Amino acid sequence: MGPARTQPDAGPRTRWCVVTFVEPAPAEFGREAWPLHLTWVPPFDAAEDDVVRALTQVLTASSEDRSALETQTVGEAWFGRRREVRVTELARTERIDVLHRAMLAALADTGVDVRAMRHVRDAFRPHVSAQGERTLALGTVVDLGEVALVAMRPDGDARRRRVVRRWPLDGTEPSADVR
């Protein structure tokens, strides 16, 4: 039995996604300039306070179980309807799966319709999409030491992305990025 469902915030809803960057990431970047990353939760709409509260609960609980969370690149594939997105697949470990499902459950408890999301739960395939020529080599160990909340349309600008919160998985305090 999970935690009690919280009342969703009546505040304005924003488009979000939850990722781990596998290379340095600035606080803001363009839609076409994503740093290499693993997407834990695909884009969804929710009030910021609800999302931050839900993810903080998951990402700060039992952080000692998630310290040094890492995986390895295990293959290359092409994703998308027309197989146009080049990706490097990551080994899907039990710890990765537990964290992915815990974030989905916490978001569902705030009213996010995770049942309508594609590529989650059993269909979740951890991967890093190539960004131009930037990609990860096979056999690379990938540190998943931090989870980031990214606003997909900060200030209503669909051309921009903004990292609004980062949760280290080693038990240190989460940080809000400067806006």
Side-chain angles (χ1 to χ4, degrees):
M1 181 172 212
R5 187 177 177 113
T6 60
Q7 266 313 78
D9 187 342
R13 296 174 72 78
T14 301
R15 189 105 174 129
W16 306 101
C17 74
V18 181
V19 306
T20 288
F21 293 107
V22 299
E23 67 179 357
E28 285 200 34
F29 49 91
R31 174 180 57 208
E32 306 297 328
W34 276 90
L36 294 176
H37 65 280
L38 159 71
T39 301
W40 292 99
V41 181
F44 61 93
D45 297 313
E48 181 173 351
D49 288 346
D50 289 340
V51 174
V52 169
R53 185 173 33 255
L55 293 177
T56 296
Q57 183 177 6
V58 168
L59 297 171
T60 59
S62 303
S63 58
E64 65 278 356
D65 295 337
R66 296 198 186 101
S67 60
L69 180 61
E70 63 183 29
T71 188
Q72 186 171 10
T73 59
V74 293
E76 294 178 343
W78 291 89
F79 285 8
R81 290 184 196 142
R82 295 184 195 106
R83 303 285 189 235
E84 72 277 7
V85 180
R86 190 173 111 216
V87 304
T88 304
E89 292 188 286
L90 304 174
R92 181 177 175 176
T93 67
E94 181 179 348
R95 292 175 70 201
I96 288 172
D97 200 52
V98 165
L99 183 57
H100 167 70
R101 288 173 186 270
M103 286 189 275
L104 289 173
L107 291 170
D109 284 344
T110 67
V112 173
D113 186 6
V114 299
R115 292 172 295 155
M117 292 180 179
R118 297 176 56 208
H119 312 297
V120 296
R121 291 187 206 83
D122 291 342
F124 180 59
R125 289 175 65 186
H127 67 278
V128 175
S129 298
Q131 302 296 320
E133 294 303 311
R134 293 186 348 268
T135 190
L136 297 176
L138 290 180
T140 301
V141 173
V142 180
D143 177 17
L144 304 175
E146 177 181 85
V147 172
L149 177 64
V150 178
M152 301 296 283
R153 298 180 189 125
D155 306 319
D157 186 352
R159 299 168 300 168
R160 306 290 308 150
R161 303 293 183 256
R162 179 180 294 147
V163 180
V164 297
R165 183 72 54 125
R166 297 174 192 256
W167 290 269
L169 296 179
D170 64 2
T172 59
E173 289 297 311
S175 67
D177 283 21
V178 178
R179 294 186 196 199

